[in-house]
Amino acid sequence: MTDYIESLQVLAEKFASLQGVGKKSAMRMAFSVLELDEDSAKEFADAIVEAKTKIHRCPICGNLTDKDECYVCSDLSRDTSVICVVEDVKALMSIEKVREYKGVYHVLHGAISPVNGVTPDKLTMKELIERVGQNEISEVIIATNPTQSGEVTAMYISKYLKPLGVKVTRLAYGIPVGSDLEYADEITLGRAIEGRRDV
Amino acid sequence: MTDYIESLQVLAEKFASLQGVGKKSAMRMAFSVLELDEDSAKEFADAIVEAKTKIHRCPICGNLTDKDECYVCSDLSRDTSVICVVEDVKALMSIEKVREYKGVYHVLHGAISPVNGVTPDKLTMKELIERVGQNEISEVIIATNPTQSGEVTAMYISKYLKPLGVKVTRLAYGIPVGSDLEYADEITLGRAIEGRRDV
């Protein structure tokens, strides 16, 4: 079949090497590349090399950037005394979309999961503890994912930061806004009851 | 947000320019590129340029190839007196997967659809008629899609080929094997009754 069109097969394999791209989609995308004009295909190729070469971790917070510092750290209007700790850049982007948070971030690049070989030293945990120890930090908001490894990570962070005298908080768990109680799982519902507030 | 990481945004737009790739998937893929090592990213970029530069239509049948002729046309064991007419290369690949068809192909690169500006001259219709006229062809199997434009195209082809004295056939319509009559639509079911055979 397509094995006979070797360069198409090679391209499809490259697409399939990306996270979450199956073989069928990869082949569809490879075909789609053939439908681009020559210049667009060249630009696509250049964009891959450029992104890979230019983008690196922000030396302050670990966010991705193609500048010296990321756009959050270089934004003078942000409150650098509040650090929100996230597992990855996608989480950071989700919080930024809300446009409510005015502090800065710390990206761990993962969550503790010994089973998968992710120990604290594989994350930017040391950098976080140093950063909190060396700067005037009023609050650290832990925004790791509400999963088992996210929880373990949150507990680990708070264990190391609390002795430094910094206020450590965790994002609230509860029923998602606009959803129906009927469809909430028991754990979420349990947390929602536990975290109930006066009205 | 990501607009601040310009090279990531540019890359995501390239992915989104491919058929069937939405904005969210495009961004996920762009992130995934960052996780490749530098060599793999370079290879990915090269694969795009290589596929785009090397792959062209087979001068005989219109199939895609990176050789002079496509692998079907250059396979001497194939029966060149039987031509299967398909709308696109994906259809050709589907038929090849069955490993039952031993003839050759003709790829139209579309189906007649005047509303979308696809008139017969936009397809490889002239090439097909010439090919049938100039060679010893015993049968032309029309395997255009079972859609309105596929049907129009099939009718158009048979109108031009029958006067050349060649046998023109169409793939059978009917209930898909392994499916349930209950879920067959009326048109398919109607065609299945119409095309019933002795057992």
Side-chain angles (χ1 to χ4, degrees), chain A residues 2 4-7 14-15 18-20 28-29 31-32 34 36 41 43 45 48 52 64 66 71 93, chain B residues 2 4-7 14 18-20 28-29 31-32 34 36 41 43 45 48 52 55 64 66 71 93:
Chain A
T2 48
Y4 294 86
I5 315 178
E6 206 194 320
S7 36
K14 299 299 172 192
F15 277 112
L18 301 178
Q19 222 187 354
R28 206 190 53 225
M29 286 184 229
F31 268 115
S32 194
L34 299 183
L36 298 175
E43 278 165 31
I48 288 176
K52 184 62 200 166
L64 293 175
D66 50 8
Y71 78 95
M93 283 165 59
Chain B
T2 48
Y4 293 85
I5 315 176
E6 208 194 321
S7 34
K14 299 298 174 193
L18 301 179
Q19 223 187 354
R28 205 191 53 224
M29 288 185 227
F31 267 114
S32 193
L34 300 183
L36 298 175
E43 279 165 32
I48 289 176
K52 185 62 201 169
I55 297 173
L64 294 175
D66 49 9
Y71 78 96
M93 285 163 58

Side-chain angles (χ1 to χ4, degrees), chain A residues 51-75:
Chain A
K52 184 62 200 166
T53 320
K54 278 195 175 175
I55 297 174
H56 56 93
R57 290 187 186 179
C58 169
I60 301 173
C61 73
N63 185 10
L64 293 175
T65 181
D66 50 8
K67 308 273 185 337
D68 288 343
E69 289 171 10
C70 81
Y71 78 95
V72 179
C73 289
S74 57
D75 180 350

Side-chain angles (χ1 to χ4, degrees), chain A residues 185-196:
Chain A
D185 64 286
E186 302 98 89
I187 299 173
T188 303
L189 208 49
R191 294 293 191 101
I193 295 170
E194 197 182 301
R196 68 193 181 280

Side-chain angles (χ1 to χ4, degrees), chain B residues 1-2 13 21 39 52 59 63 73 82 88 98 107 112 117 124 137 146 148 155 168 190:
Chain B
M1 252 69 62
T2 48
E13 277 163 20
V21 179
D39 286 346
K52 185 62 201 169
N63 186 10
C73 289
V82 180
D88 50 36
V98 185
V107 184
I112 299 172
T124 60
I137 305 298
Q148 207 190 340
M155 268 149 54
V168 180

Side-chain angles (χ1 to χ4, degrees), chain A residues 34-172:
Chain A
L34 299 183
E35 277 156 30
L36 298 175
D37 58 70
E38 204 124 331
D39 286 347
S40 307
K42 186 75 183 56
E43 278 165 31
F44 194 161
D46 291 344
I48 288 176
V49 174
E50 182 139 329
K52 184 62 200 166
T53 320
K54 278 195 175 175
I55 297 174
H56 56 93
R57 290 187 186 179
C58 169
I60 301 173
C61 73
N63 185 10
L64 293 175
T65 181
D66 50 8
K67 308 273 185 337
D68 288 343
E69 289 171 10
C70 81
Y71 78 95
V72 179
C73 289
S74 57
D75 180 350
L76 298 175
S77 74
R78 312 280 304 218
D79 179 359
T80 54
S81 75
V82 180
I83 297 178
C84 176
V85 181
V86 288
E87 288 184 23
D88 52 35
V89 176
K90 285 168 210 166
L92 183 156
M93 283 165 59
S94 301
I95 297 175
E96 282 296 285
K97 268 193 201 133
V98 186
R99 294 175 188 277
E100 210 153 272
Y101 179 65
K102 295 294 167 214
V104 292
Y105 293 93
H106 191 89
V107 184
L108 294 172
H109 291 283
I112 299 172
S113 174
V115 196
N116 300 310
V118 187
T119 43
D121 59 295
K122 296 268 167 45
L123 310 173
T124 60
M125 203 61 93
K126 211 181 95 214
E127 289 83 345
L128 172 64
I129 295 163
E130 279 175 12
R131 191 176 168 196
V132 173
Q134 290 163 7
N135 295 279
E136 292 268 330
I137 305 299
S138 62
E139 182 177 357
V140 171
I141 304 168
I142 305 179
T144 51
N145 290 327
T147 58
Q148 208 191 338
S149 46
E151 281 305 282
V152 172
T153 310
M155 266 149 55
Y156 187 93
I157 294 172
S158 86
K159 195 181 96 187
Y160 279 88
L161 294 188
K162 278 198 171 149
L164 300 176
V166 65
K167 183 178 167 194
V168 180
T169 58
R170 179 96 175 87
L171 285 195

Side-chain angles (χ1 to χ4, degrees), chain B residues 105-169:
Chain B
Y105 293 92
H106 192 90
V107 184
L108 293 172
H109 290 283
I112 299 172
S113 175
V115 195
N116 299 311
V118 186
T119 44
D121 59 296
K122 297 268 168 40
L123 310 173
T124 60
M125 203 63 91
K126 210 180 96 218
E127 288 83 346
L128 172 64
I129 296 163
E130 279 175 11
R131 193 176 167 195
V132 174
Q134 289 163 5
N135 295 280
E136 292 268 329
I137 305 298
S138 61
E139 181 178 358
V140 171
I141 303 169
I142 305 179
T144 52
N145 290 327
T147 58
Q148 207 190 340
S149 45
E151 281 306 281
V152 172
T153 309
M155 268 149 54
Y156 186 94
I157 294 171
S158 85
K159 195 181 98 186
Y160 279 90
L161 293 189
K162 279 197 171 151
L164 301 176
V166 65
K167 183 178 167 195
V168 180
T169 57

